[in-house]
Amino acid sequence: MTRKLYLFLILFTSILLVGFYFTSILNNFWIAHFTHLGIMFIAGLTLIGLEKGKFPYKEKQSFEINQVIGIVIGIIGLIGVSNLIPVLGSKITGIQMSGFYKTAELNRILLVVISLSIFEEILFRRILAQKIKNTLGFKKAIWISALIFSIVHIYTDTGLLSAFIAGAILAYIYLKTNNIYLSIIAHLFYNLTTYFFTPLFIENFDRINNHTILISTILIGLGLMYGMISILNKKPAGNNV
């Protein structure tokens, strides 16, 4: 069973890599976007299984206000960590980051962000992470799903490290709450906040780009993410998750 799962994960990742490469070279924005969503749908079928047509089994979902508060705290931390670690790394190594942070076209961003947040959470968390958890356990579900999530972002401006960190946090949110709606909202909040703060980040880049500010912000972000993990680790009242 474990060997079969790994083979399916390789197939799943290969379909996404080949498909996303194809969509990355398409010139028409909307054709590329909807083809991108279609590739994710096809990849999802490889894990669901055409003969069953069912999503992987999951335990009963939970929802409490403290979870929402914890998730907001964690995503704010994630925004700082995932965006500033690459900047700090470039500063240490001397790699020029100019041109790395760019905003997308305003007239398209909302539909794209909403659709990708929904599709990616269903695919990478509800199907992929859940499938891995059911076979290999909670920890491997987080790290393997985050690794695959990172790899298939190779053709985007997200960056592999940022995608890996985001993938791990979003997988943790989903697997701890079993609530796909919470992870979708978290993903949407992360994408929209990052997008709308990017122009402000670019405008103040020279002032932000020093070791003290970068390291301090990253440490604060890590602290916020740890706070989210601590909150989500508390068992909801009347729930054994």
Side-chain angles (χ1 to χ4, degrees), residues 13-106:
T13 307
S14 299
I15 290 172
L16 291 177
L17 283 173
V18 173
F20 288 173
Y21 171 75
F22 174 72
T23 60
S24 71
I25 62 176
L26 292 176
N27 293 323
N28 185 284
F29 176 84
W30 292 114
I31 292 177
H33 177 62
F34 286 110
T35 303
H36 189 93
L37 299 182
I39 294 298
M40 287 195 281
F41 178 79
I42 294 170
L45 291 179
T46 66
L47 294 183
I48 293 175
L50 291 175
E51 72 283 357
K52 294 183 179 179
K54 295 181 179 179
F55 279 41
Y57 168 80
K58 76 175 183 70
E59 297 174 349
K60 183 179 178 181
Q61 70 183 31
S62 65
F63 176 83
E64 288 196 353
I65 294 300
N66 70 310
Q67 292 176 333
V68 177
I69 295 172
I71 289 170
V72 170
I73 291 172
I75 295 301
I76 291 173
L78 173 63
I79 291 167
V81 171
S82 65
N83 285 287
L84 294 187
I85 280 183
V87 178
L88 179 61
S90 72
K91 192 169 184 63
I92 293 173
T93 59
I95 298 174
Q96 179 58 252
M97 290 286 290
S98 61
F100 184 82
Y101 287 91
K102 295 181 180 179
T103 56
E105 296 180 31
L106 282 169

Side-chain angles (χ1 to χ4, degrees), residues 164-202:
F164 178 81
I165 297 170
I169 288 296
L170 291 167
Y172 192 91
I173 290 171
Y174 168 71
L175 293 175
K176 270 296 178 180
T177 64
N178 293 307
N179 193 323
I180 191 62
Y181 301 107
L182 286 179
S183 63
I184 288 174
I185 292 171
H187 195 153
L188 187 59
F189 177 59
Y190 171 78
N191 283 348
L192 286 175
T193 304
T194 298
Y195 172 75
F196 285 112
F197 270 90
T198 296
L200 182 63
F201 177 83
I202 296 173

Side-chain angles (χ1 to χ4, degrees), residues 208-219:
I208 296 171
N209 190 27
N210 70 73
H211 288 94
T212 302
I213 293 177
L214 291 174
I215 293 173
S216 298
T217 304
I218 290 170
L219 289 176

